[in-house]
Amino acid sequence: MAAEPTTPTPILRRGYFTDGIAGDIKAASLEFFGTATFIMLGLGGIQAGSISDGSLVEKRMYWAASMGLSLLVSAWLFYRITGGLFNPNVSLALWLVGVIKPVRFVLYCIAQLAGAIAGSALVRALTPEPYNVNVSLPDGISKSQGVFIEMFITAALILAVLMLAAEKHEATPFAPLGIGLTLFAGHLFALAYTGAAMNTARAFGPAVVTGFPKSDHWVYWLGPFLGSLLGVAVYTFLKHYHYWTINPGQTAIQPQLSPADPVDTLRATLNMTDENGVRRSGSITEKRSSIDRRGPSASIDKRRLNDSAV
């Protein structure tokens, strides 16, 4: 008896590679525009803040807010289109955890570096002041310190992307808000020490426009690269040990899962013993259990409230 023909797998289906690559090129093209938008807004704010009156601390707050808000806005605009990555180190992390495929990863990295160059060139062409947006290590900071600072702040950004955007839960639509705030916090820490690139494309764009004026540019490739690996390692650890089981229901919206009324809890505790010190029944736990026995519609399966669908 002849064997029945098998259905071809999707990867062998006619036109798969053509359609897949076409989609990747389209996504990368839009990622180019998203990255250019982010870099133009962020570096434009840094350029404007550098000529404003105020103390150095005030200027650094201005720069940090400019980069954080620029990422927040740009990522929210492009979040449903390309994912709003704008960062080769984020692309690396998403490829390592399997969110994007190798071809899209390569095309995204090219688009992000090119978009950073375009955004940086726009800022230089549109502003009359001396170009003041390159990142470099100041005096007193060694190259090894710069690498590790960039590694840790990039790892924080990577973890924010993975936990807020890659992991699907009720707060996922608001992921750009948390990711932008993470970039802002990283700048508050590292602006004084490394310039807080947290993104190889952000360092690469201005360096290309100005002809690589600093010899420590490699720091902004190695540090964020290691940060991607560290962020993925932490995420992998959390995922492997089922982080959502440690404190389940954190993203639940059902009022029934809220804590009991403290007054009722206190009363139940006081009523557990009578005047002779004999323990009584009828604790708050039993009362809540009786509510849960009203029927299947009244009970809530906490397993459905996990932060992950895995």
Side-chain angles (χ1 to χ4, degrees):
M1 182 175 180
E4 295 182 359
T6 58
T7 303
T9 58
I11 198 168
L12 299 177
R13 192 174 297 145
R14 184 182 298 276
Y16 173 82
F17 289 104
T18 303
D19 296 340
I21 292 177
D24 290 336
I25 293 174
K26 184 185 298 183
S29 300
L30 295 170
E31 183 72 4
F32 166 83
F33 288 107
T35 305
T37 301
F38 160 58
I39 293 296
M40 180 190 68
L41 293 175
L43 299 191
I46 293 177
Q47 186 79 337
S50 64
I51 62 169
S52 61
D53 296 330
S55 66
L56 182 58
V57 172
E58 291 172 334
K59 288 183 178 181
R60 285 174 178 165
M61 285 292 295
Y62 191 104
W63 298 336
S66 174
M67 291 301 295
L69 290 175
S70 297
L71 180 59
L72 190 160
V73 171
S74 302
W76 229 328
L77 288 174
F78 286 85
Y79 181 65
R80 294 177 298 161
I81 304 172
T82 67
L85 281 60
F86 315 146
N87 187 336
N89 309 108
V90 173
S91 299
L92 173 61
L94 293 181
W95 171 56
L96 290 175
V97 301
V99 174
I100 60 177
K101 302 300 182 183
V103 173
R104 181 164 294 198
F105 161 65
V106 173
L107 292 176
Y108 265 20
C109 289
I110 295 172
Q112 289 153 357
L113 293 172
I117 295 173
S120 301
L122 279 173
V123 172
R124 186 172 191 183
L126 296 175
T127 56
E129 300 80 23
Y131 203 56
N132 192 34
V133 298
N134 273 304
V135 289
S136 61
L137 302 179
D139 295 337
I141 298 296
S142 67
K143 291 180 174 59
S144 61
Q145 287 175 317
V147 167
F148 281 106
I149 290 174
E150 284 292 321
M151 180 186 75
F152 285 117
I153 60 176
T154 303
L157 180 64
I158 296 300
L159 194 58
V161 171
L162 293 175
M163 294 301 295
L164 298 178
E167 289 289 291
K168 305 307 177 188
H169 44 77
E170 285 84 349
T172 296
F174 302 98
L177 178 61
I179 295 169
L181 289 175
T182 304
L183 190 73
F184 173 72
H187 276 71
L188 291 179
F189 165 33
L191 262 175
Y193 302 113
T194 67
M198 304 175 70
N199 180 343
T200 297
R202 181 262 179 267
F204 183 71
V208 170
V209 171
T210 56
F212 295 93
K214 303 292 183 179
S215 61
D216 55 15
H217 180 70
W218 63 269
V219 169
Y220 302 97
W221 287 78
L222 180 59
F225 170 76
L226 295 176
S228 296
L229 301 183
L230 178 59
V232 169
V234 174
Y235 172 75
T236 302
F237 175 84
L238 296 174
K239 193 82 170 180
H240 181 70
Y241 288 101
H242 298 173
Y243 70 87
W244 56 88
T245 63
I246 299 173
N247 193 14
Q250 278 297 91
T251 59
I253 59 175
Q254 288 80 357
Q256 297 91 328
L257 294 181
S258 302
D261 184 346
V263 175
D264 290 342
T265 303
L266 179 61
R267 286 175 179 172
T269 303
L270 295 176
N271 291 334
M272 288 177 66
T273 58
D274 59 18
E275 62 276 3
N276 296 322
V278 179
R279 187 177 183 83
R280 286 178 163 182
S281 61
S283 66
I284 190 68
T285 303
E286 293 174 346
K287 292 180 180 178
R288 290 174 67 86
S289 298
S290 65
I291 294 176
D292 293 339
R293 288 195 293 269
R294 289 180 296 179
S297 61
S299 62
I300 298 176
D301 187 355
K302 287 189 177 182
R303 289 176 296 179
R304 291 188 175 184
L305 302 176
N306 290 339
D307 293 342
S308 174
V310 178

